[in-house]
Amino acid sequence: MRTPLCIANWKMHGTLADARPLATAVRDGLRRVKDIEVVLCPPFTALAAVSEIVTGSGIGLGAQNCHPEAFGPHTGEIAPPMLSELGCRYVIVGHSERRREMGETDELINRKVRAVLADGMTAVLCVGETAEERRQGLTFTTVEGQLRAGLTDVAPDAVARVVLAYEPVWAIGTGVNATPSQAGEVHGYLRGLLSELISKDAAATVRILYGGSVKAENAESLAAEPEIDGALVGGASLNAQGFVNLVKKTARGGVAVRGA
Ligand code: PEP
């Protein structure tokens, strides 16, 4: 059984003055929430402070990016061991904003996935089509290419430490989410590919999150779709009360699926 998971991607929001009260309010608001895992991914500069706040609470810590090498002459970069040292257990890799703004290629993303896994952390591999690709009927082709490339040369037993995030680019930050059935269709396709590329066990255990304009209002219906194992949340994770409600609703949707 796959435990639902909500990951907060704060993106480039949060000086320490913002991050500390946000993390504290999320932690306190989720004290009694069960049946779901939650991970906060603040900016690098807030990782240590958020780590102190969430340690012992059950909330996990994640980073939004990393370099594919463990050390070296890469000015301004952050290596996986620097993240795990701070208590990070998750790293988001291949977010569409980085693919688009920083020109990250599938090949680089694959190196990052392998570096994160080699360091013992979980790689949250993001895939998703643009609006134009969907219009041209290329959704499955796009996500298949991204998944195949992202998992190249990843050992089958390490795939258990991968979380996939289906994030249609047209839904990110737009307020227009994929419907549960649109997302469910792509998640089902990705799960079939995992079965073909890795194993039936991997397909059954790897969590596939949906990301793209998830908020408290649509979280329960998305999570009630059997193929959706939780959410990767951008904008709506910056408001503590809203995010706490979103997590509770995702947990409720997940319980409905498991009880079905
Ligand atoms: C994201 O950037 O991963 C994301 C899903 O953003 P938003 O929730 O704001 O659409």
Side-chain angles (χ1 to χ4, degrees):
M1 196 49 75
R2 301 184 296 269
T3 305
L5 169 65
C6 274
I7 302 182
N9 174 14
W10 291 358
K11 309 194 187 191
M12 200 174 69
H13 297 287
T15 60
L16 290 178
D18 304 317
R20 284 197 177 103
L22 177 54
T24 304
V26 169
R27 179 198 65 194
D28 294 349
L30 292 176
R31 255 190 228 293
R32 275 181 282 281
V33 177
K34 295 192 173 56
D35 302 318
I36 189 158
E37 286 173 26
V38 176
V39 174
L40 302 184
C41 300
F44 290 130
T45 48
L47 281 170
V50 172
S51 179
E52 271 183 34
I53 291 166
V54 300
T55 295
S57 70
I59 294 175
L61 187 70
Q64 299 173 19
N65 179 41
C66 68
H67 193 273
E69 288 174 30
F71 60 89
H74 305 290
T75 303
E77 292 291 334
I78 309 276
M82 299 168 183
L83 299 172
S84 50
E85 179 182 48
L86 288 176
C88 282
R89 293 289 164 264
Y90 296 77
V91 183
I92 298 171
V93 178
H95 193 283
S96 60
E97 287 161 5
R98 296 198 61 83
R99 290 180 190 260
R100 187 181 63 234
E101 293 177 18
M102 314 305 289
E104 291 200 359
T105 61
D106 281 334
E107 191 267 333
L108 175 63
I109 290 161
N110 170 249
R111 289 174 59 213
K112 292 186 181 194
V113 167
R114 287 186 282 130
V116 168
L117 296 173
D119 202 69
M121 296 184 285
T122 290
V124 182
L125 171 61
C126 302
V127 300
E129 82 287 1
T130 62
E132 183 57 20
E133 286 164 339
R134 176 163 279 264
R135 208 182 54 72
Q136 291 183 20
L138 294 173
T139 297
F140 291 158
T141 310
T142 300
V143 298
E144 175 167 348
Q146 292 168 336
L147 181 70
R148 282 181 185 273
L151 296 184
T152 298
D153 293 334
V154 173
D157 60 334
V159 174
R161 272 186 294 110
V162 171
V163 168
L164 290 183
Y166 168 55
E167 297 211 304
V169 178
W170 48 270
I172 295 181
T174 60
V176 180
N177 59 286
T179 64
S181 68
Q182 280 176 321
E185 185 185 30
V186 180
H187 285 219
Y189 186 76
L190 291 169
R191 208 174 287 293
L193 272 174
L194 283 174
S195 179
E196 191 186 300
L197 295 175
I198 314 293
S199 66
K200 282 196 173 140
D201 271 5
T205 52
V206 167
R207 286 178 288 190
I208 308 181
L209 311 184
Y210 166 74
S213 297
V214 181
K215 41 193 175 286
E217 293 72 23
N218 57 20
E220 190 169 347
S221 60
L222 284 161
E225 161 60 47
E227 283 296 345
I228 298 179
D229 301 318
L232 177 52
V233 187
S237 68
L238 295 172
N239 175 281
Q241 193 52 54
F243 183 64
V244 165
N245 288 340
L246 184 161
V247 170
K248 288 180 181 168
K249 293 196 171 172
T250 302
R252 207 183 300 159
V255 165
V257 170
R258 288 199 300 279

